């Protein structure tokens, strides 16, 4: 965790030395990703397993501290009461970080927006479904940019799938065996 804080500080120094707004934005996004890993690591250190519902609520609150205008968002979480192994939380939380920050960054800070997170575990399949009420760009791609690449890599790492449905913007399925 100290290494993550050190990297976060280095990015902060680099941001303050740059006058380029685009570079500053990219460095800020990198900091948010690092904070995501750090937050999930905090949860992981507590026990071998974490309560997913509590962990995600804490995680959303942690992310919200980094954005102005976040107060207008309503987060509706329908998460099965379950504990998952801590080593599964980091990739799952990084995926959620990309989805949540995308919702916040592309939403209207002066209007009410709602995001839905639905997570269930049935027959050793962990299912994550996510949607928000933000207006969507007309694109055939499910996700765009570095965030999408990160998500796609983590889906592969977790041996999962990612799809889009009529009900949700994003649906993920991951094999999850309780040991």
């Amino acid at each position: 965790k100290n290494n993550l804080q050190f990297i976060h500080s280095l990015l902060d120094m680099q941001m303050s030395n740059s006058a380029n707004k685009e570079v500053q934005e990219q460095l800020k996004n990198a900091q948010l990703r690092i904070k995501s890993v750090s937050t999930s690591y905090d949860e992981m250190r507590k026990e071998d397993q974490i309560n997913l519902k509590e962990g995600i609520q804490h995680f959303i609150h942690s992310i919200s501290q980094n954005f102005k205008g976040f107060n207008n968002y309503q987060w509706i979480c329908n998460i099965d009461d379950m504990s998952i192994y801590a080593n599964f939380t980091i990739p799952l939380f990084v995926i959620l970080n990309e989805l949540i920050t995308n919702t916040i960054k592309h939403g209207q800070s002066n209007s009410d927006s709602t995001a839905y997170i639905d997570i269930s575990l049935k027959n050793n399949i962990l299912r994550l479904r996510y949607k928000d009420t933000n207006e969507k760009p007309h694109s055939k791609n499910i996700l765009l940019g570095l965030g999408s690449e990160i998500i796609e890599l983590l889906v592969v790492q977790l041996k999962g799938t990612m799809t889009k449905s009529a009900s949700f913007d994003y649906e993920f399925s991951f094999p999850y065996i309780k040991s």
Side-chain angles (χ1 to χ4, degrees):
K1 180 164 178 163
N2 287 338
N3 290 335
L4 293 174
Q5 289 173 335
F6 178 72
I7 293 168
H8 191 278
S9 296
L10 286 174
L11 291 172
D12 203 34
M13 289 182 346
Q14 193 69 32
M15 234 181 350
S16 64
N17 289 330
S18 176
N20 185 320
K21 295 291 183 193
E22 187 175 322
V23 168
Q24 288 177 343
E25 181 68 23
Q26 289 175 351
L27 291 170
K28 180 70 173 171
N29 288 338
Q31 282 185 313
L32 292 172
R33 289 180 175 108
I34 290 167
K35 189 165 179 100
S36 166
V37 172
S38 178
T39 300
S40 55
Y41 181 77
D42 285 345
E43 293 295 324
M44 216 169 58
R45 283 191 352 210
K46 295 176 186 174
E47 299 177 27
D48 289 340
Q49 294 187 18
I50 67 160
N51 180 291
L52 192 59
K53 183 181 265 187
E54 291 173 9
I56 288 176
Q57 289 171 342
H58 173 73
F59 184 66
I60 291 171
H61 177 74
S62 176
I63 292 172
S64 72
Q65 304 303 310
N66 298 305
F67 289 94
K68 293 178 180 159
F70 182 82
N71 300 341
N72 295 327
Y73 283 88
Q74 179 180 8
W75 298 92
I76 298 176
C77 298
N78 180 25
I79 302 169
D80 285 357
D81 188 22
M82 69 177 106
S83 292
I84 65 168
Y85 288 100
N87 63 350
F88 197 82
T89 61
I90 288 180
L92 184 64
F93 279 31
V94 171
I95 289 169
L96 281 169
N97 179 69
E98 295 303 323
L99 296 170
I100 291 167
T101 56
N102 191 52
T103 293
I104 296 168
K105 287 190 321 186
H106 298 292
Q108 302 296 322
S109 63
N110 58 355
S111 67
D112 293 334
S113 294
T114 303
Y116 302 87
I117 300 172
D118 183 270
I119 302 176
S120 60
L121 179 62
K122 186 175 182 180
N123 299 326
N124 295 325
I125 300 294
L126 184 94
R127 186 172 170 187
L128 163 63
R129 300 184 311 161
Y130 185 91
K131 73 176 178 177
D132 63 46
T133 57
N134 292 340
E135 189 173 324
K136 308 293 184 279
H138 297 291
S139 172
K140 292 181 182 179
N141 296 331
I142 293 177
L143 296 166
L144 301 171
L146 179 61
S148 67
E149 291 178 38
I150 290 170
I151 289 174
E152 288 170 4
L153 288 171
L154 291 171
V155 169
V156 169
Q157 176 186 329
L158 294 173
K159 297 177 175 67
T161 61
M162 176 176 71
T163 58
K164 191 171 185 175
S165 74
S167 302
F168 283 87
D169 297 333
Y170 312 102
E171 291 194 18
F172 303 89
S173 294
F174 306 104
Y176 184 78
I177 308 294
K178 295 180 187 179
S179 299

